[in-house]
Amino acid sequence: MKTLLPDSEATRQFGMALGRSLSAGTVILLQGDLGAGKTTLVQGIAEGLGISDSIESPTFTLINEYFGARIPLYHLDLYRLEAEEVEALHLESYWDGLEMDLGIVAIEWAERLQYKPDNSLQICLSYCDSGRQIELIGDCQLLDWPSQG
């Protein structure tokens, strides 16, 4: 599914719709250039989940955890890591449900993962003439959102 998002508010609104519709255990693999809207999308997801905390990209902390909403949100940023360093973090603990409560796992710079987890939704953000384009690859039943392409 491809959709045009004219500005950051549309990106946030799209994220809110995702946050309201996705279930615990979903892993969102975010890809896109710097400034393409990955963190803005996660801010919307958090709002859709009912999280009122300020959502910042965990570029230096690597992982931010948010609780107290419909389900937890785990926000990861792999920008500063090499693939081998990512593997050493054992991130599967965030989506396998054995060590952490199942929630939504949003991973910025997900192309640095060695493998895609089950139940993942890949979201690619890119610039285009009319703002941004977002492409969803995977199983997503996002209702009431206009698709283009």
Side-chain angles (χ1 to χ4, degrees):
M1 175 179 121
K2 291 183 183 180
T3 298
L4 295 176
L5 302 170
D7 54 27
S8 61
E9 178 59 21
T11 303
R12 190 182 66 75
Q13 291 289 329
F14 190 91
M16 285 178 61
L18 281 173
R20 287 190 297 264
S21 67
L22 295 176
S23 60
T26 300
V27 180
I28 302 169
L29 306 174
L30 296 161
Q31 297 179 347
D33 292 335
L34 284 171
K38 296 179 296 293
T39 300
T40 301
L41 185 72
V42 175
Q43 290 168 340
I45 290 168
E47 194 171 341
L49 288 170
I51 295 168
S52 58
D53 296 344
S54 176
I55 307 298
E56 304 296 329
S57 181
T59 302
F60 295 100
T61 58
L62 302 181
I63 303 168
N64 289 336
E65 300 174 348
Y66 303 95
F67 301 97
R70 180 172 68 86
I71 52 178
L73 172 65
Y74 306 109
H75 185 193
L76 290 67
D77 188 325
L78 307 179
Y79 179 71
R80 299 191 174 282
L81 301 178
E82 297 297 325
E84 299 79 31
E85 295 171 305
V86 172
E87 186 175 351
L89 292 174
H90 301 287
L91 297 176
E92 61 275 2
S93 66
Y94 283 94
W95 58 76
D96 66 12
L98 298 176
E99 296 178 36
M100 307 293 292
D101 291 338
L102 281 180
I104 302 296
V105 181
I107 306 172
E108 295 190 35
W109 302 96
E111 59 270 23
R112 289 177 168 80
L113 285 172
Q114 294 287 337
Y115 62 92
K116 293 181 183 176
D118 295 336
N119 202 23
S120 65
L121 173 64
Q122 184 176 348
I123 298 179
C124 302
L125 292 131
S126 59
Y127 296 105
C128 62
D129 291 340
S130 55
R132 293 181 179 124
Q133 176 178 285
I134 189 168
E135 181 178 7
L136 281 69
I137 303 166
D139 184 24
C140 180
Q141 301 300 319
L142 183 57
L143 303 175
D144 302 323
W145 195 268
S147 174
Q148 299 161 354

